[in-house]
Amino acid sequence: KEKSVLLINNLPIYQKLFLEMSVKGSHLKILSKLLNDKFYGLIPEELPNFNLSQMNARKTYKPLTWHNDVRYQSKQLETYSCQGFMALENMNSNNGTLSLISNSHLLGYYPNDINQNQIKNLDLDAGDFVIFDSRIHHSTSKLKDEQSPWTIVSQYRSWWVKPLFNYWRFFMSSPKSISGLNPIERSILGENSEPPYDPMESNSARKGLNLET
């Protein structure tokens, strides 16, 4: 079968560089404004209270179909999920760059008939990181060559939305791998929003920062 995409799922579990990229950086300030629960209460408002949902590496051999990355469609301004698209090489409309339709996150439905005149292909330099609402209708552009460069695709979600991978449970099986992370970084991995499984624990999945680490 002809391959259309190569994926390496859950990069942070393989190398500390990717782990640190996912929980450190100025992009977290932007994501906090978009994804923070303003009623969370147990973490200071200026700090992140959202979670990492996934972080993958991707190379495509044909354009991705038009889609968005949420199951629940809504027309409201507030969002609960955001994507991050990092170019590892210069990208444009000829080598599989990110293509999107502005304001489509407010339409309230999955992509169907695409108006070609509304499509925006982003010109990106190596290292550029694009943050966008997961409801945005998006794809990748045509490929002049046989394959696109590798990209890193991330997703962050509000703490109360189920992530695509349980990073916190994974890292708890090897605590040394996260021994250098501070409470905020551990929180982004899901420490403060994992549902309890001990019947004697509180039935709330919302917790404050663990300052004992």
Side-chain angles (χ1 to χ4, degrees):
K1 184 178 179 180
E2 185 180 358
K3 58 188 175 183
S4 60
V5 62
L6 281 179
L7 278 175
I8 303 174
N9 290 323
N10 306 311
L11 292 178
I13 72 175
Y14 298 114
Q15 192 173 80
K16 193 167 185 179
L17 169 65
F18 297 120
L19 174 60
E20 293 184 346
M21 285 173 61
S22 67
V23 298
K24 300 175 186 286
S26 57
H27 64 293
L28 300 177
K29 293 182 179 180
I30 298 172
L31 289 165
S32 293
K33 294 182 181 296
L34 297 171
L35 297 176
N36 264 11
D37 176 0
K38 61 183 178 182
F39 303 110
Y40 193 93
L42 300 178
I43 294 176
E45 292 183 7
E46 69 275 12
L47 299 178
N49 63 42
F50 56 86
N51 296 155
L52 175 68
S53 176
Q54 68 169 342
M55 185 184 190
N56 305 329
R58 183 175 71 197
K59 173 193 283 286
T60 59
Y61 293 86
K62 58 179 63 175
L64 294 180
T65 57
W66 285 92
H67 65 287
N68 66 15
D69 290 289
V70 295
R71 304 304 303 167
Y72 173 67
Q73 308 294 317
S74 71
K75 297 181 180 181
Q76 64 189 26
L77 289 174
E78 294 81 7
T79 189
Y80 59 89
S81 181
C82 285
Q83 307 295 116
F85 183 98
M86 176 178 281
L88 299 183
E89 300 177 31
N90 295 344
M91 302 189 74
N92 54 55
S93 58
N94 290 318
N95 69 346
T97 193
L98 179 63
S99 304
L100 50 81
I101 296 179
S102 297
N103 298 319
S104 54
H105 60 301
L106 302 177
L107 294 176
Y109 55 76
Y110 290 110
N112 39 50
D113 295 327
I114 302 300
N115 184 337
Q116 298 295 315
N117 294 324
Q118 294 180 325
I119 296 175
K120 292 187 177 181
N121 295 315
L122 304 187
D123 289 331
L124 303 174
D125 294 330
D128 283 351
F129 186 74
V130 182
I131 296 172
F132 59 98
D133 192 309
S134 298
R135 295 173 295 169
I136 284 274
H137 298 181
H138 62 282
S139 68
T140 54
S141 66
K142 63 183 179 180
L143 296 171
K144 185 176 181 180
D145 299 321
E146 294 183 356
Q147 59 188 12
S148 73
W150 281 97
T151 58
I152 293 178
V153 181
S154 306
Q155 185 180 69
Y156 294 86
R157 289 180 169 179
S158 297
W159 73 271
W160 45 270
V161 182
K162 185 178 180 179
L164 296 180
F165 183 78
N166 192 331
Y167 284 99
W168 184 249
R169 181 63 62 88
F170 176 87
F171 283 117
M172 277 294 87
S173 66
S174 180
K176 288 185 178 179
S177 61
I178 55 172
S179 60
L181 298 186
N182 66 39
I184 289 296
E185 293 157 359
R186 294 164 63 95
S187 178
I188 293 172
L189 292 177
E191 180 180 25
N192 299 325
S193 56
E194 186 177 38
Y197 55 90
D198 183 341
M200 303 306 294
E201 286 187 54
S202 166
N203 60 4
S204 174
R206 180 176 58 93
K207 304 177 182 69
L209 295 176
N210 183 356
L211 300 178
E212 296 179 0
T213 57

